[in-house]
Amino acid sequence: MLHTGRHFLQIPGPTNVPDRVLRAMDMPVLDHRSAEFAELGTEVLAGLRTVFQTAQPVILYPASGTGAWEAALVNTLSPGDEVLLFETGHFSNLWRQVAEKFSLKVTYVPGNWRCGASPAELEARLAADRDHRIKAVLVVHNETSTGVTSRIPELRRAMNSARHPALFLVDTISSLGSIDYRHDEWGVDVTIAGSQKGLMLPPGMSFNAISEKALAASAHARLPRSYWDWQEMLKPNRSGFFPYTPPTNLMYGLREALLMMQEEGLANIFHRHDRHAAATRAAVQAWGLEIVCEEPREYSSSLTAVFMPEGGNADKLRAVILENFDMSLGAGLSKLAGKVFRIGHLGSFNDLTLAGTLCGVEMGLRLAGVPFKEGGVLAALHSMAPAVRKVESAIRGD
């Protein structure tokens, strides 16, 4: 089928890159040993601290989020160390695999992929660990495969209540810049993030925000590291440089993305994502479909994962939508493959983009013969523009 107009990329990441960011990257390659680059590097590294809401260093790697996972582990831990990791979905399992390849002993707290990490479970396990064998707690803040957001402040309070010295490592790859996150205030030791979601950039950069406690731990950690070594990064970073070739043109884009975020304001960004997530859930519920996340306090503002009706195939629905409307939705991953489709509503996104996205889903449901109730799009519009209801009431004379 011949498509006109722009492709609708509504997966939970990589997300759409704003034109401003694309234009900012369209620059001649810069000498990464020049004074001009030092200004760019200094500006970008300082701006990142604002997004992480930290006064501590943020380290930038030319890598995907998986690289930032590895960096967080090898800079803080030693072979044989025990870590506690909560099963919240596909990406928590991938992080587990990375940890096990480094000979870490992973206690994988089982989950049903519909809830976040349990603060009560965490406190109980840490309280029982009287010898402090557990060296780190690992949590995926926003599980991209399920649309479930773990409650990081409550998990930190559980750690404090248990009086346990374990490090707190949090993956924010699909939440940073989309969902309220406070590295310093919430007592996180290492925050992991990537460029291709809330930061509105192409893939290719990942980040570690590190606490003083984490930096102190790195002095004694014995896992092998070279490329990922924080100390080797921090030395040249102080003057805006890197120990190896940085992703120069991506950094131009990052500077522009940070400027866009500053203009909108973090509070407004979070509110926008909350609104779009609530509108999406209103549509899903009106369609009579089931949201994967079963705890309303843990609904994601980055994406919504939706179960197909019994006997339905999510991949076939996604194929119908792609073929007919040139829109990509996220696939179900691992044990949710074929059972779930995911609607991304994060990054460079507005009300009309969401309206178009939900129209595409509703038309796709109809074309694919999926049993559903009409009216999801209208429910979303009422959610985003409640004043419409007042106007309708006035017209009716209610």
Side-chain angles (χ1 to χ4, degrees):
M1 181 177 290
L2 178 65
H3 294 293
T4 58
R6 298 187 69 167
H7 174 65
F8 264 59
L9 181 67
Q10 304 313 144
I11 62 176
T15 61
N16 297 288
V17 179
D19 288 342
R20 277 179 61 177
V21 173
L22 291 172
R23 288 195 297 269
M25 291 189 296
D26 185 16
M27 294 284 287
V29 175
L30 182 65
D31 175 7
H32 61 286
R33 303 300 180 202
S34 66
E36 183 181 357
F37 178 84
E39 292 179 7
L40 173 63
T42 300
E43 183 178 352
V44 163
L45 291 171
L48 283 168
R49 291 198 291 271
T50 301
V51 179
F52 283 89
Q53 301 195 60
T54 181
Q56 304 304 316
V58 177
I59 294 175
L60 184 161
Y61 295 104
S64 68
T66 304
W69 275 348
E70 183 169 322
L73 297 173
V74 300
N75 279 285
T76 57
L77 298 166
S78 299
D81 278 354
E82 183 175 346
V83 300
L84 191 66
L85 174 59
F86 282 84
E87 180 187 10
T88 50
H90 176 75
F91 290 96
S92 69
N93 192 47
L94 291 183
W95 200 3
R96 171 194 185 182
Q97 292 172 21
V98 173
E100 289 176 338
K101 287 178 181 177
F102 281 98
S103 300
L104 296 171
K105 180 182 177 183
V106 181
T107 298
Y108 198 45
V109 182
N112 67 355
W113 289 40
R114 302 193 69 182
C115 295
S118 166
E121 177 80 9
L122 175 59
E123 183 172 350
R125 285 179 177 265
L126 292 182
D129 180 33
R130 295 184 176 85
D131 296 332
H132 296 166
R133 293 186 305 273
I134 297 170
K135 302 304 180 184
V137 174
L138 282 55
V139 177
V140 176
H141 180 214
N142 187 74
E143 178 55 68
T144 322
S145 63
T146 63
V148 175
T149 303
S150 290
R151 291 166 277 149
I152 301 302
E154 294 183 35
L155 293 167
R156 167 43 76 185
R157 286 195 290 272
M159 295 178 71
N160 292 345
S161 181
R163 300 179 183 274
H164 199 285
L167 293 164
F168 194 22
L169 279 55
V170 179
D171 167 351
T172 67
I173 291 171
S174 64
S175 58
L176 187 77
S178 303
I179 300 171
D180 191 10
Y181 183 81
R182 310 176 187 190
H183 176 86
D184 286 358
E185 183 179 330
W186 295 349
V188 179
D189 292 302
V190 187
T191 297
I192 293 118
S195 60
Q196 72 274 22
K197 296 183 189 280
L199 292 181
M200 305 178 291
L201 290 157
M205 287 192 291
S206 63
F207 312 94
N208 280 175
I210 56 178
S211 71
E212 291 182 3
K213 180 179 176 182
L215 191 58
S218 72
H220 308 287
R222 291 183 288 104
L223 284 176
R225 59 190 187 269
S226 173
Y227 183 84
W228 308 114
D229 193 332
W230 288 345
Q231 295 296 340
E232 292 304 310
M233 289 290 282
L234 288 171
K235 293 172 187 175
N237 278 179
R238 294 186 183 99
S239 53
F241 293 110
F242 289 77
Y244 39 69
T245 307
T248 51
N249 285 56
L250 279 176
M251 290 178 67
Y252 279 128
L254 177 56
R255 179 169 64 183
E256 190 66 25
L258 292 170
L259 178 59
M260 292 174 66
M261 296 177 78
Q262 178 184 344
E263 291 168 358
E264 185 174 1
L266 280 180
N268 294 325
I269 292 171
F270 300 146
H271 177 65
R272 170 167 57 85
H273 282 78
D274 291 344
R275 285 183 64 250
H276 291 153
T280 303
R281 293 192 298 270
V284 173
Q285 290 161 348
W287 289 327
L289 302 180
E290 185 179 3
I291 297 169
V292 173
C293 180
E294 60 185 7
E295 170 54 70
R297 292 181 299 170
E298 297 176 342
Y299 283 148
S300 170
S301 289
S302 295
L303 73 138
T304 301
V306 185
F307 280 116
M308 289 290 288
E310 188 68 31
N313 186 303
D315 292 336
K316 290 182 179 178
L317 170 65
R318 291 173 50 251
V320 166
I321 291 172
L322 178 60
E323 180 180 357
N324 287 275
F325 309 117
D326 197 21
M327 181 169 76
S328 296
L329 297 176
L333 300 175
S334 44
K335 71 179 185 180
L336 295 180
K339 301 176 182 178
V340 163
F341 64 91
R342 297 175 296 144
I343 304 170
H345 36 73
L346 72 162
S348 180
F349 204 78
N350 61 31
D351 289 9
L352 294 182
T353 309
L354 181 60
T357 298
L358 297 176
C359 282
V361 175
E362 186 157 330
M363 290 189 292
L365 291 168
R366 187 180 301 116
L367 275 180
V370 176
F372 76 103
K373 299 175 183 177
E374 301 281 352
V377 172
L378 186 59
L381 297 181
H382 281 316
S383 173
M384 287 191 288
V388 171
R389 288 194 289 264
K390 297 178 183 178
V391 172
E392 289 174 347
S393 296
I395 291 173
R396 291 195 303 266
D398 295 348

